[in-house]
Amino acid sequence: MKILVTGGLGFIGSHTVVELQNAGYDVVIIDDLSNASESVLDGIQKITGTKPDFEKIDLRDRDAVSAFFKKYSDISGAIHFAASKAVGESVNKPLLYYENNLSSLIYLLQELTKKDAANFIFSSSCTVYGQADELPITEKAPVKPAESPYGNTKQIGEEIIRDTAKIYDNFNAIALRYFNPIGAHESCEIGELPLGVPQNLVPFITQTAAGLRQELSVFGDDYPTSDGTCVRDYIHVVDLAKAHVMALTRLVEDKNETNYETFNLGTGTGSSVLEVIHTFEEVSGVDLSYKIVDRREGDVVAAYADTVKANEVLGWKSQLTLAEALKSAWNWEKKVRGIN
Ligand code: UD1
């Protein structure tokens, strides 16, 4: 069965391609290489033994998307990762974010809904919940007004898919709301490669440990949490990748209850920034240089998933620990930087 993975050379996309291939799916990747390198294909091949098909396409190019679907007429589903994802940048370039994240989605759906049957998995985010009133966060928690254009593209994206699924019986979709994906494949053949200064906590930690950054800033220690730092649900990217395969297979096997479903993907456990730092220090043996600075604008106090729906309905549960995820992120960083 042939599956399109957009953004398949990126962080979560590449790990998902590996798990799809391991599960027997035939994968074709679309990526515009704006935030990924073609060499990721070699990393995937080293792990699975199979190099996926690859087309360099900018999904904002509607004609190119149409031509792609004519060439690969046997595609029966898509997992859509391709999107811009820097929260701060989205505030400064809202139109770029709306154009990139939404027009690509619309063009894909226009093609998929022409098929007799099509399955679609969407990369969404726990950012849709904002600061939830209750923790852990269930899928029933209300979607809060988005804090950034990036977050808004995820909310609007979900609405576009929901409305599409309502009207097209041949189209089934699942939106997966990720908590905080971290880590790398145990082979160290693929991992996260942020461009420029990392905005997310774990790549900043590993780059500081590797000597690329002088010091890590902890954004605030006066939050109402156990140690005053923000709490998040850090999920190993390999666990997350496996959830995509299970979601797709759920649609392929017609096991979905409605033709648009949402699932939270997290571990169910919240960890504070200081807990992440100390766990990293333990697994890496590196003393991290860090200091407490002011809060970062837009950060929620705490977010972690209620995993009951994912466990019981999707049949998926995260397996790997925070320590394992941090260790894998460190091993990957060391490999990329040539550190022994
Ligand atoms: C961020 C995005 C979120 C997006 C997700 C994708 C924001 C406000 N949110 O989530 O919309 O879906 O990335 O991965 O950007 N921290 C530090 N020092 C740092 C970096 C982070 O203390 O140098 C803290 C943050 O304050 C936060 C935690 O670490 O408490 C995690 O931050 P980050 O990795 O950026 O993820 P989120 O903000 O949760």
Side-chain angles (χ1 to χ4, degrees), residues 87 125 127 150 180 200-201 217-219 230 232 234 296 299:
V87 177
S125 167
T127 195
Y150 158 77
N180 290 57
N200 295 115
L201 179 63
S217 294
V218 174
F219 299 136
C230 292
R232 297 286 184 276
Y234 296 91
R296 178 172 73 178
D299 270 339

Side-chain angles (χ1 to χ4, degrees), residues 140-217:
K140 292 204 170 102
V143 167
K144 294 265 178 82
E147 292 274 352
S148 68
Y150 158 77
N152 212 16
T153 66
K154 293 297 174 192
Q155 295 189 4
I156 298 170
E158 285 195 8
E159 287 168 11
I160 291 171
I161 297 161
R162 188 199 56 209
D163 291 345
T164 305
K166 219 181 263 173
I167 214 75
Y168 290 94
D169 289 338
N170 55 338
F171 175 77
N172 288 287
I174 292 178
L176 298 175
R177 294 171 173 167
Y178 316 148
F179 283 67
N180 290 57
I182 61 165
H185 195 268
E186 60 174 358
S187 64
C188 288
E189 296 295 346
I190 53 174
E192 188 171 11
L193 261 187
L195 283 184
V197 181
Q199 305 299 310
N200 295 115
L201 179 63
V202 171
F204 206 103
I205 288 178
T206 56
Q207 288 198 8
T208 307
L212 272 81
R213 314 276 156 215
Q214 258 190 343
E215 194 172 48
L216 168 75
S217 294

